[in-house]
Structure formats: structure tokens, C-alpha cells
Amino acid sequence: MQVLTKRYPKNCLLTVMDRYSAEVHNMEQVVMIPSLLRDVQLSGHEGRAQAEAPDLYTYFTMLKAICVDVEHGLLPREEWQAKVAGGEAEEAENGTAETEEVEDESASGELELEAQFHLHFSSLHHILIHLTKKAQEVTRKYQEMTGQVW
């Protein structure tokens, strides 16, 4: 398991990001055969698999992809849209969505920037903590499946 080398306050976003990154790297080191995670469901709160939940392989790939963004920054908006859209028809929809966003921004311009910042900051903090727990669960489940539990 990776050890955090930087020291920040406990609830600092940088601490949460470092913890997430370390947990995902630990997951990558433990999960030697990711294909074993296909079609394996994560148990719910009461020990039951959730009906339409993604399999562990989906979580594994998602957590790795998000970690790249956390560590290296986001793609420029145009590159990200091209990657997500994958087609001209969807790009046309994105152009429409952008004009709607501009209209929404002018309408929501009355909101204070500080309030918007705190909303997004707390949401990001919460999401990173949730994703860190998911990485721990994927690692734990893989260890159970392969008999690596200590």
C-alpha cells in the first residue's frame, strides 16, 4: 500500500485527493488480473448484490480513469468533448447545450461566487471520499476472490 508523503490538514481537498490516488494505486497493485472482476457484483449494505449495479471491472476501470484526471489534470474542454461525443451528431447537440449553458449562467449570475465555490468544493470532496471507499471495496473483494485476505 502506498503511504501518503505530503501532510495537509485532515479535511483538506489535497489530502482527500492524495488518499484517493494512493488507494487507486494500491488497487492497481493488488488486482493483477482485472478480467477476474468481470460480472462480479459488489455487495450492498446488507450483503446482497445490487440489481443493476455495475460490475467490479467497471468500477476498476472508472476509478483508474478518474485517478488519471486527479493526478494529471483535465483534458482541454474540446478534447474531452471529442472523446465523449465520438460523432458529429453528438457534437451538434453539444453546441446546443453550450448556448443553453451560457443562458443558464446569465440567469444564475445572481448567485454568489463564494456560495457556488463551496457547493462544488464540498461536492468534489464528498465524491472523492466515496470513490476512495469504492477503490478499497474493489481491492478487498479481489483479495477475497483470490484468497489474498490476511
Side-chain angles (χ1 to χ4, degrees):
M1 177 169 202
Q2 288 193 343
V3 179
L4 298 177
T5 57
K6 301 173 187 164
R7 294 283 184 220
Y8 301 110
K10 181 181 178 183
N11 289 325
C12 176
L13 182 61
L14 297 172
T15 302
V16 174
M17 290 170 63
D18 282 346
R19 196 175 304 129
Y20 172 71
S21 180
E23 201 59 53
V24 170
H25 288 294
N26 181 55
M27 177 186 72
E28 289 178 298
Q29 290 174 353
V30 170
V31 178
M32 301 304 279
I33 307 170
S35 61
L36 289 177
L37 299 172
R38 289 191 188 276
D39 300 324
V40 177
Q41 298 295 315
L42 197 58
S43 297
H45 292 290
E46 298 173 4
R48 296 182 307 232
Q50 298 170 348
E52 296 180 17
D55 64 3
L56 291 180
Y57 184 79
T58 303
Y59 278 120
F60 179 81
T61 55
M62 174 194 67
L63 292 165
K64 283 178 44 177
I66 292 171
C67 190
V68 169
D69 289 341
V70 167
E71 292 177 340
H72 302 288
L74 295 173
L75 289 173
R77 183 179 177 130
E78 297 80 25
E79 288 181 36
W80 183 82
Q81 286 176 335
K83 180 180 176 183
V84 171
E88 292 180 22
E90 292 181 36
E91 288 178 16
E93 291 177 13
N94 288 340
T96 306
E98 285 181 24
T99 49
E100 291 173 2
E101 283 180 24
V102 171
E103 293 170 4
D104 289 343
E105 286 177 13
S106 63
S108 66
E110 298 171 9
L111 293 177
E112 294 179 20
L113 288 176
E114 184 178 2
Q116 290 178 3
F117 169 77
H118 285 288
L119 172 67
H120 292 291
F121 185 80
S122 64
S123 296
L124 178 60
H125 192 275
H126 174 75
I127 289 167
L128 283 171
I129 290 172
H130 181 74
L131 291 173
T132 301
K133 290 178 183 177
K134 285 295 180 193
Q136 291 169 343
E137 291 175 26
V138 169
T139 303
R140 179 190 50 76
K141 186 69 173 180
Y142 181 84
Q143 288 174 326
E144 287 175 7
M145 290 170 46
T146 58
Q148 297 177 19
V149 180
W150 290 277

